[in-house]
Amino acid sequence: MDFKKESNRFNKYDETGKLLAEVIYEPDGEHQVLLTHTFVNSSLRGQGVAEQLVDCVVAEMRAEGKKIVPICSFAVALFKRKPDKYKDVITN
Protein backbone atom coordinates (compact mmCIF):
# COMPACT_ATOMS: atom_id res chain seq x y z
CA MET A 1 0.00 0.00 0.00
CA ASP A 2 1.25 3.48 -0.81
CA PHE A 3 1.23 6.07 1.94
CA LYS A 4 1.60 9.83 1.73
CA LYS A 5 4.47 11.36 3.69
CA GLU A 6 3.63 14.54 5.55
CA SER A 7 5.40 16.31 8.37
CA ASN A 8 6.06 13.67 11.03
CA ARG A 9 3.45 11.27 9.66
CA PHE A 10 2.53 8.83 6.95
CA ASN A 11 -1.11 8.43 5.98
CA LYS A 12 -3.63 7.12 3.48
CA TYR A 13 -6.92 8.76 2.50
CA ASP A 14 -9.67 7.37 0.31
CA GLU A 15 -10.93 9.15 -2.78
CA THR A 16 -13.43 11.17 -0.71
CA GLY A 17 -10.76 12.45 1.68
CA LYS A 18 -11.62 10.08 4.53
CA LEU A 19 -8.62 9.07 6.62
CA LEU A 20 -8.00 5.34 6.26
CA ALA A 21 -4.68 4.93 8.04
CA GLU A 22 -1.94 6.96 9.68
CA VAL A 23 1.12 6.79 11.85
CA ILE A 24 2.44 9.81 13.74
CA TYR A 25 5.86 10.34 15.27
CA GLU A 26 7.40 13.28 17.09
CA PRO A 27 11.02 14.38 17.26
CA ASP A 28 12.59 13.87 20.69
CA GLY A 29 15.96 15.50 20.57
CA GLU A 30 18.35 15.17 17.67
CA HIS A 31 18.75 11.39 17.61
CA GLN A 32 15.36 9.85 18.26
CA VAL A 33 11.63 10.08 17.66
CA LEU A 34 8.59 9.04 19.66
CA LEU A 35 6.18 6.83 17.71
CA THR A 36 2.99 8.13 19.31
CA HIS A 37 0.00 7.07 17.24
CA THR A 38 -1.10 4.41 14.78
CA PHE A 39 -4.60 4.28 13.30
CA VAL A 40 -6.14 1.94 10.75
CA ASN A 41 -9.78 2.20 9.69
CA SER A 42 -11.81 -0.93 10.39
CA SER A 43 -12.18 -1.53 6.64
CA LEU A 44 -8.42 -2.21 6.40
CA ARG A 45 -7.77 -4.05 9.65
CA GLY A 46 -6.26 -7.49 9.55
CA GLN A 47 -4.27 -6.74 6.39
CA GLY A 48 -0.98 -5.71 7.98
CA VAL A 49 -1.52 -2.02 7.24
CA ALA A 50 -0.47 -0.81 10.69
CA GLU A 51 2.82 -2.68 10.46
CA GLN A 52 3.40 -1.23 6.99
CA LEU A 53 2.89 2.24 8.45
CA VAL A 54 5.35 1.59 11.27
CA ASP A 55 7.81 0.23 8.72
CA CYS A 56 7.63 3.55 6.84
CA VAL A 57 8.79 5.34 9.99
CA VAL A 58 11.43 2.67 10.63
CA ALA A 59 12.84 3.03 7.11
CA GLU A 60 13.02 6.80 7.45
CA MET A 61 14.72 6.64 10.85
CA ARG A 62 17.21 4.05 9.61
CA ALA A 63 18.08 6.35 6.72
CA GLU A 64 18.51 9.27 9.13
CA GLY A 65 20.43 7.23 11.73
CA LYS A 66 17.81 7.86 14.41
CA LYS A 67 16.23 5.65 17.06
CA ILE A 68 12.54 5.10 17.81
CA VAL A 69 10.82 5.09 21.18
CA PRO A 70 7.54 3.20 20.74
CA ILE A 71 4.78 4.94 22.70
CA CYS A 72 1.51 3.86 21.08
CA SER A 73 0.25 0.47 22.16
CA PHE A 74 0.42 -1.03 18.67
CA ALA A 75 4.07 -0.05 18.18
CA VAL A 76 5.02 -1.30 21.65
CA ALA A 77 3.42 -4.69 20.95
CA LEU A 78 4.88 -4.91 17.43
CA PHE A 79 8.43 -4.14 18.57
CA LYS A 80 8.10 -6.79 21.32
CA ARG A 81 6.60 -9.35 18.93
CA LYS A 82 9.32 -8.86 16.28
CA PRO A 83 12.46 -7.82 18.17
CA ASP A 84 14.90 -8.98 15.49
CA LYS A 85 13.19 -6.88 12.83
CA TYR A 86 13.43 -3.67 14.88
CA LYS A 87 16.40 -4.18 17.20
CA ASP A 88 18.58 -1.68 15.35
CA VAL A 89 16.11 1.22 15.72
CA ILE A 90 14.37 0.70 19.05
CA THR A 91 15.41 2.57 22.15
CA ASN A 92 13.79 3.10 25.53
Side-chain angles (χ1 to χ4, degrees), residues 21-89:
E22 76 176 343
V23 64
I24 300 172
Y25 57 96
E26 302 172 14
D28 185 40
E30 290 183 36
H31 305 290
Q32 70 182 24
V33 297
L34 307 176
L35 204 159
T36 58
H37 176 72
T38 305
F39 163 78
V40 176
N41 183 281
S42 60
S43 66
L44 294 176
R45 290 195 185 139
Q47 300 177 39
V49 174
E51 184 171 345
Q52 291 174 41
L53 283 164
V54 169
D55 287 348
C56 288
V57 177
V58 169
E60 185 170 293
M61 294 309 110
R62 282 181 176 141
E64 294 180 12
K66 295 182 180 179
K67 299 290 185 179
I68 299 171
V69 179
I71 302 293
C72 81
S73 58
F74 176 80
V76 169
L78 178 63
F79 280 39
K80 284 182 182 176
R81 192 169 66 247
K82 298 186 175 185
D84 290 340
K85 183 176 180 180
Y86 301 109
K87 66 184 173 187
D88 64 317
V89 294

